[in-house]
Structure formats: structure tokens, C-alpha cells
Amino acid sequence: MAINLDAALGIHPQTLDFRVERSKVLAGNLVNAETPGYKARDLDFSTVMARIDAGMAAKGHYDIGYRVPYQNSADDNTVELGKEQARYSQNAMDYQTSLTFLNMKIAGLKSAIEGR
């Protein structure tokens, strides 16, 4: 009997991919925190989940939006360093959570295949 890995692993590979892409975007924001006129960008998890629920593949197709700052800066840069660092840290924890879930799924499949 063949195992369909996409069905067996569920949503976890897609969420892991999303977390990697969001890390890149947030890291770009942190690097450009002092760049005049730079606009902070982000990815929205709920948008990605809605796209997946609608049956549309989300891997690698993310809509990057711009963030509206709480506090305007004199040089028109919209990166708020403290908030951006917090978002990056939260995304790193979410990545670890997604990775843990994926590892548990793989361990369960391995156990089922080995007959334990």
C-alpha cells in the first residue's frame, strides 16, 4: 500500500516553508532599520492559511504587504526596531513549533511502517 506523503504530513511542511520565508522578510527589515525611506514588509499567516483552505498551493507564493508604523520617523523609514525584533523572535519560536510537529508526524509514520 502506497503512502501519500502530502496527505500524511498535512499542513506542516507548508507552515514550515512559510516560517522560513517570513524569517527572510523580517531579517530584511532588521537590516534596513536605518535605511532612509525603507518600508517594513511582512507576510500574513492568516492569508496563507485561507489560501491553503481554499485548495490553492501556497508554497513559494506569498503576498508581501507593507506595515503601517505605530510611530512615524523623520526619515520616512517604517521599521520599528523593537517590534521587528519581537516579530522575528516569535517567528523563530513558531518555526521550532512547526518543525516539532513535522518531526512528530514523521516519527509516527516511521513507527507505522516499522510496525511498532
Side-chain angles (χ1 to χ4, degrees):
M1 181 172 162
I3 296 175
N4 180 350
L5 282 179
D6 288 335
L9 296 178
I11 193 120
H12 303 299
Q14 293 168 325
T15 58
L16 197 61
D17 182 64
F18 169 79
R19 296 295 171 198
V20 169
E21 292 303 315
R22 187 167 187 234
S23 290
K24 292 176 186 178
V25 171
L26 295 175
N29 289 345
L30 289 169
V31 166
N32 288 294
E34 299 296 322
T35 304
Y38 181 81
K39 306 297 180 202
R41 305 177 315 151
D42 203 353
L43 301 175
D44 183 35
F45 186 70
S46 60
T47 303
V48 172
M49 294 306 294
R51 183 176 287 168
I52 292 170
D53 286 343
M56 300 168 61
K59 186 171 184 174
H61 296 57
Y62 304 112
D63 296 328
I64 299 177
Y66 292 96
R67 191 174 305 118
V68 177
Y70 293 107
Q71 188 91 357
N72 290 331
S73 66
D75 64 359
D76 212 21
N77 184 313
T78 62
V79 176
E80 297 172 299
L81 190 58
K83 294 188 183 305
E84 210 65 43
Q85 290 170 331
R87 286 183 187 105
Y88 189 86
S89 296
Q90 180 65 48
N91 191 65
M93 288 187 290
D94 292 341
Y95 174 87
Q96 287 299 321
T97 302
S98 294
L99 187 59
T100 299
F101 281 126
L102 186 60
N103 283 335
M104 289 184 338
K105 283 281 196 177
I106 292 170
L109 289 171
K110 181 181 175 194
S111 177
I113 290 170
E114 292 174 347
R116 292 185 185 172

